[in-house]
Amino acid sequence: MTKAAERPISDSGIELDRWLRVYRQMVSIRVFEEQVNELYTRALMPGLAHLYAGEEAIAVGVCEALRPDDYITSTHRGHGHCLAKGASPDRMFAELLGKEAGYCRGKGGSMHIADPATGNLGANAIVGGSLGIATGAAFSSKQLRNGRVAVCFFGEGALGQGLLYEEMNLAKLWQLPVIYVCENNLYTEYTHFTETTAGDIQARASAFGLRSEAVDGQDVYAVYGAAEQLVSRARAGEGPSFLLCESYRYTGHHVGDINREYYRSKDEEQHWKSERDPIKLLGDQLIRDRTADASTLEGIQTLVRKQMRAAVEFALAAPYPDVEEVEKHVYA
């Protein structure tokens, strides 16, 4: 597994700006999810949401290696991917609340946000449901020779879907510019992945001849470093790859999953939050490298919280779509 322990940051202005931006994006995802949970507990949000808190380094680290016109596909736990690829929080909150200003005019909700303008081809409530979409986008890129790369985010639960292996097989045969990013947050809903997933996860991709890497998903340096290499080789026509990121979701499977001690302990949760938090790990590294001091990071957090509150207020005040729209933009 690739790790990035004491990794100094280049003193160039571009690199310094990069890691401060990465820190801000990760904080934005964390605060966004906090606000989503609050909207749910206040009974202001219809339905459920699957929070990404704890996994921020994966979405941000991977998307930092992409161009704005590159593609991603997401999952039911997809708010982090959407934000990392450039979506606006106010329109995302509006979508979660079923408002007209949302990315899907309020019809997609939490699990189906899409933003083609930023290359986000959509979240998907079906486990592994976006695998074919990402692979198809990569096929399109190769045929059009436009240099775009497609990234498919999915959880370890999708390792049990036969579609994954069909797509990896095709991607290798056709040398498609696609990267399959497995976010192993250790739990497939309420079951530890070791009880559902046999064998070596990386070996599954290697069996098809895909380049396979594994990284610490809490270390944004490691995620970005691996993603940058895999994106470069895909763009150069060297074919598909598989990136395994070990991570942890801080909350339950969804916002209603509150009492979790029957499948994981509070001590385990506290360990990951106190010792393995991706935002704290990055912040500590930035301070050690003298890229930022504590007051700078606190300032970023304060600004992000202010912006997120404004985004929530925008969504709460936004109108619902007209009832006449109920049959528009619906294809299935």
Side-chain angles (χ1 to χ4, degrees):
M1 179 177 290
T2 303
K3 294 185 179 180
E6 298 296 327
R7 185 168 300 168
I9 298 173
S10 167
D11 60 1
S12 72
I14 295 176
E15 285 300 293
L16 296 179
D17 288 345
R18 177 193 300 280
W19 294 110
L20 287 176
R21 179 175 66 250
V22 163
Y23 183 83
R24 183 172 64 251
Q25 287 179 310
M26 290 170 65
V27 172
S28 294
I29 294 171
R30 179 70 57 84
V31 178
F32 183 92
E33 299 293 56
E34 290 172 357
Q35 292 292 323
V36 171
N37 191 58
E38 183 176 342
L39 288 169
Y40 172 77
T41 55
R42 292 171 60 194
L44 296 174
M45 184 185 75
L48 298 172
H50 303 76
L51 305 183
Y52 197 69
E55 303 179 49
E56 296 89 352
I58 304 174
V60 176
V62 171
C63 289
E64 183 63 26
L66 297 176
R67 298 189 323 209
D69 62 343
D70 285 331
Y71 300 117
I72 68 165
T73 60
S74 185
T75 71
H76 60 278
R77 199 177 307 282
H79 303 159
H81 309 135
C82 196
L83 286 166
K85 197 59 173 67
S88 175
D90 53 1
R91 294 190 63 189
M92 287 182 64
F93 280 123
E95 184 61 36
L96 267 61
L97 296 180
K99 301 299 186 71
E100 184 180 13
Y103 277 108
C104 302
R105 299 182 69 81
K107 295 180 181 179
S110 172
M111 291 187 281
H112 297 97
I113 297 177
D115 179 24
T118 61
N120 182 359
L121 301 181
N124 203 306
I126 300 172
V127 174
S130 66
L131 290 160
I133 298 171
T135 308
F139 178 77
S140 172
S141 295
K142 183 169 184 178
Q143 294 299 103
L144 296 174
R145 300 181 181 179
N146 58 23
R148 294 181 179 178
V149 172
V151 169
C152 179
F153 292 99
F154 60 94
E156 82 287 341
L159 294 168
Q161 299 293 324
L163 178 62
L164 172 62
Y165 308 105
E166 296 177 32
E167 298 303 330
M168 288 197 295
N169 182 63
L170 284 177
K172 181 57 181 178
L173 288 173
W174 297 340
Q175 287 292 90
L176 301 182
V178 58
I179 302 167
Y180 300 100
V181 179
C182 179
E183 299 179 309
N184 182 5
N185 63 23
L186 306 187
Y187 289 91
T188 303
E189 291 194 357
Y190 317 109
T191 307
H192 197 275
F193 83 98
T194 55
E195 297 181 47
T196 62
T197 308
D200 185 337
I201 293 176
Q202 274 190 273
R204 297 178 181 216
S206 300
F208 291 96
L210 273 69
R211 167 79 172 271
S212 181
E213 300 284 348
V215 297
D216 177 1
Q218 306 305 86
D219 183 346
V220 72
Y221 292 114
V223 176
Y224 170 72
E228 186 180 38
Q229 292 182 20
L230 298 180
V231 168
S232 294
R233 69 184 299 276
R235 213 181 301 281
E238 296 179 31
S241 56
F242 181 90
L243 180 60
L244 174 62
C245 302
E246 184 174 294
S247 188
Y248 196 81
R249 56 171 163 83
Y250 286 177
T251 55
H253 172 57
H254 54 72
V255 286
D257 177 18
I258 300 173
N259 299 315
R260 298 179 291 277
E261 289 189 77
Y262 69 94
Y263 71 89
R264 70 186 204 189
S265 69
K266 288 186 177 180
D267 287 343
E268 178 184 293
E269 291 186 2
Q270 185 57 38
H271 165 73
W272 281 86
K273 291 179 180 180
S274 61
E275 303 296 329
R276 303 290 297 127
D277 183 76
I279 296 175
K280 183 178 185 301
L281 291 175
L282 175 57
D284 290 346
Q285 185 69 50
L286 292 174
I287 292 173
R288 282 196 297 270
D289 291 335
R290 299 182 182 178
T291 303
D293 54 28
S295 63
T296 299
L297 301 183
E298 289 172 5
I300 291 174
Q301 294 183 31
T302 299
L303 178 61
V304 166
R305 292 186 182 282
K306 179 179 179 181
Q307 292 171 336
M308 287 299 169
R309 286 194 294 270
V312 169
E313 292 305 317
F314 166 85
L316 288 171
Y320 289 100
D322 192 282
V323 69
E324 294 180 359
E325 288 195 21
V326 69
E327 294 183 353
K328 292 182 179 179
H329 313 117
V330 179
Y331 303 101

